Amino acid sequence: MYLADGRPAPPPSVSPGGRRDGRGRRVRAAVPSTVLVLGAVSLITDISSEMVTAVLPLYLVAELGLSPLGFGVLDGVYNGVSALVRLVGGRLSDGGGGRGHKAVAAVGYGLSALCKPLLLMVHTLPLIGAVLAVDRTGKGLRTAPRDAMISLAAEPAARGRAFGVHRAMDTAGALCGPLVAFVLLRAAAEGYDAVFTVSFCVAVLGVVVLLLFVPGRALPAAEDTAGRGPAGPRTPVRALLRRPQVRRLTACAVLLGLTTVSDSFLYLALQRRLDLPAGWFPLLPLGTAAAYLSLAVPMGALADRIGRRRLFLAGHLALLGAYGLLLAPFGGGAGLVCGVLLLHGAFYAATDGVLAAATADAVPEDARGSGLAVVQTGQTAARFVCSLAFGAAWTAWGDHTAVLAAAVGLALAAALSARLLRPAAPAPAPNSPSEHTP
């Protein structure tokens, strides 16, 4: 059952802010240990992956002499492949009564770990592209089962907070990774070799933590009113899309994703607006990550109170605000940088884990991985299309017009998404006064 604003109706003993003890006092639900361990795995893995991401462009172009066109191809592979395999990972993980979630996630984390030392052994565009494709395959495989384990371990009324805690830990790793890479490049004689080697060791540590400390099956913390539980047959993917709530969430994720400019383009537009020196450019992602880290848990808890779909839409209004600051004819300097990065981080804090929590509310337990993968795949593919379209618009019209077009598109997509996610009006009772003639 769902409340009028779209939130899942909590069990009688649970309130949206937690549970009540014997005296009726509200008690905040503790974050399950499974969520904390998965957060630690993501933190460790993000340190490893962001170490590589921070140095990869410079390594490929300056060290290996790759052309900008070749790097563009690899960047498309790096960001697009995971969307193609998320459905596979989600579907495979739903097998075995939920025991497949950990196994598929472990395979995904393991594939990404093995790719780190391989980058030292390949020096041609096809081979580098193949290694990056395998790395992104690993990310695509692990995302849906990992989020499924989080949703199954947390109480339904506290899923937003659980995802917020996980995303905060994940973002802490994203903050640390570039800093570790920076230190290694300055301290080691063979800087790139050191970065890739240390990245591999850190990634292996993440896999070990997953295998040793995450339970084989994430048991539901409470009865999930969205599904039948593990005893029934597995729900086909086609049946998931027949569910109105899943279909609407997917449609909104795609609509809004089509107008969500990639991080790189947003940072580049900010750099062009202020004419920032090139040396400051790598610090812009750290500003977004810092805002995301500080807001992820509060936003997750807020989603549990006011409704996850409502906060998901509000997060895109924060992104629209960032577009507006980039377009504003006034302002500049540190204030503009801080404002754009704060709104950008707030956008991620209000949408990333919140969308996963909202999706978990709408799909049955036996198809949790598949349902998460359906929505995430639609969103990722839409954002990839947006990147291509925005790049073409920037080339043809310039950055200001391209950002303006994205802002107009996002405003229209948000308005349409608000209508799609509006709770349906309850049907009148058979003997209600409206059916009687005065």
Side-chain angles (χ1 to χ4, degrees):
M1 294 179 61
Y2 288 81
L3 301 177
D5 61 357
R7 288 180 292 166
S13 60
V14 179
S15 68
R19 55 185 173 82
R20 295 186 181 275
D21 60 13
R23 297 181 180 180
R25 294 175 301 184
R26 180 173 293 180
V27 179
R28 182 180 295 274
V31 177
S33 60
T34 298
V35 176
L36 296 177
V37 175
L38 287 170
V41 172
S42 292
L43 187 154
I44 296 168
T45 302
D46 250 34
I47 292 175
S48 169
S49 61
E50 292 301 323
M51 286 174 62
V52 173
T53 301
V55 304
L56 194 60
L58 190 62
Y59 173 72
L60 294 176
V61 176
E63 186 78 5
L64 300 185
L66 208 62
S67 68
L69 176 60
F71 177 72
V73 173
L74 290 180
D75 189 59
V77 170
Y78 196 71
N79 292 295
V81 168
S82 65
L84 301 177
V85 296
R86 289 194 185 198
L87 281 173
V88 176
R91 197 59 184 165
L92 289 175
S93 70
D94 287 330
R99 301 182 186 277
H101 293 142
K102 178 179 177 179
V104 175
V107 170
Y109 281 110
L111 281 177
S112 295
L114 291 175
C115 289
K116 303 304 187 292
L118 291 179
L119 287 172
L120 293 171
M121 305 176 189
V122 295
H123 301 91
T124 63
L125 179 60
L127 291 178
I128 295 172
V131 172
L132 294 180
V134 173
D135 177 74
R136 293 296 90 181
T137 298
K139 179 176 176 60
L141 285 175
R142 69 181 183 248
T143 301
R146 179 203 66 199
D147 286 351
M149 286 189 284
I150 295 171
S151 70
L152 291 171
E155 293 182 0
R159 280 190 185 129
R161 182 167 176 263
F163 275 102
V165 170
H166 174 268
R167 295 310 196 255
M169 297 177 72
D170 181 269
T171 308
L175 271 171
C176 294
L179 298 178
V180 174
F182 175 77
V183 171
L184 289 174
L185 282 177
R186 294 181 63 88
E190 299 292 335
Y192 294 112
D193 292 2
V195 169
F196 294 143
T197 302
V198 173
S199 174
F200 168 68
C201 296
V202 174
V204 170
L205 175 62
V207 177
V208 171
V209 172
L210 174 73
L211 294 175
L212 292 182
F213 298 105
V214 174
R217 182 178 187 277
L219 294 175
E223 182 182 359
D224 191 343
T225 57
R228 299 182 305 272
R234 294 171 65 189
T235 304
V237 174
R238 292 190 301 274
L240 289 175
L241 290 174
R242 294 192 193 103
R243 290 171 170 256
Q245 294 183 57
V246 176
R247 190 166 58 247
R248 290 174 182 174
L249 275 174
T250 304
C252 291
V254 170
L255 274 174
L256 295 167
L258 287 172
T259 53
T260 301
V261 175
S262 73
D263 297 355
S264 298
F265 278 127
L266 185 134
Y267 300 142
L268 188 56
L270 182 59
Q271 189 266 342
R272 292 285 183 90
R273 165 75 190 274
L274 298 178
D275 196 23
L276 290 175
W280 290 94
F281 186 81
L283 298 180
L284 296 179
L286 297 183
T288 294
Y292 186 8
L293 174 62
S294 62
L295 294 173
V297 176
M299 287 292 187
L302 181 62
D304 292 334
R305 291 197 296 270
I306 71 172
R308 290 150 196 167
R309 295 178 297 178
R310 184 179 299 172
L311 188 64
F312 178 69
L313 289 174
H316 285 85
L317 295 182
L319 180 61
L320 185 60
Y323 293 169
L325 288 180
L326 289 173
L327 295 169
F330 52 85
L336 178 62
V337 174
C338 292
V340 171
L341 297 183
L342 177 62
L343 288 170
H344 197 220
F347 156 69
Y348 278 116
T351 59
D352 188 11
V354 172
L355 178 61
T359 305
D361 296 337
V363 298
E365 180 190 318
D366 69 290
R368 187 63 51 79
S370 300
L372 287 163
V374 165
V375 178
Q376 292 168 351
T377 298
Q379 182 186 59
T380 304
R383 288 181 176 179
F384 180 68
V385 172
C386 178
S387 293
L388 296 178
F390 188 85
W394 186 316
T395 302
W397 305 323
D399 58 314
H400 186 274
T401 304
V403 173
L404 177 60
V408 173
L410 180 56
L412 294 175
L416 183 56
S417 296
R419 291 182 62 86
L420 285 174
L421 294 180
R422 182 180 300 170
N431 295 323
S432 63
S434 61
E435 294 194 358
H436 292 284
T437 304

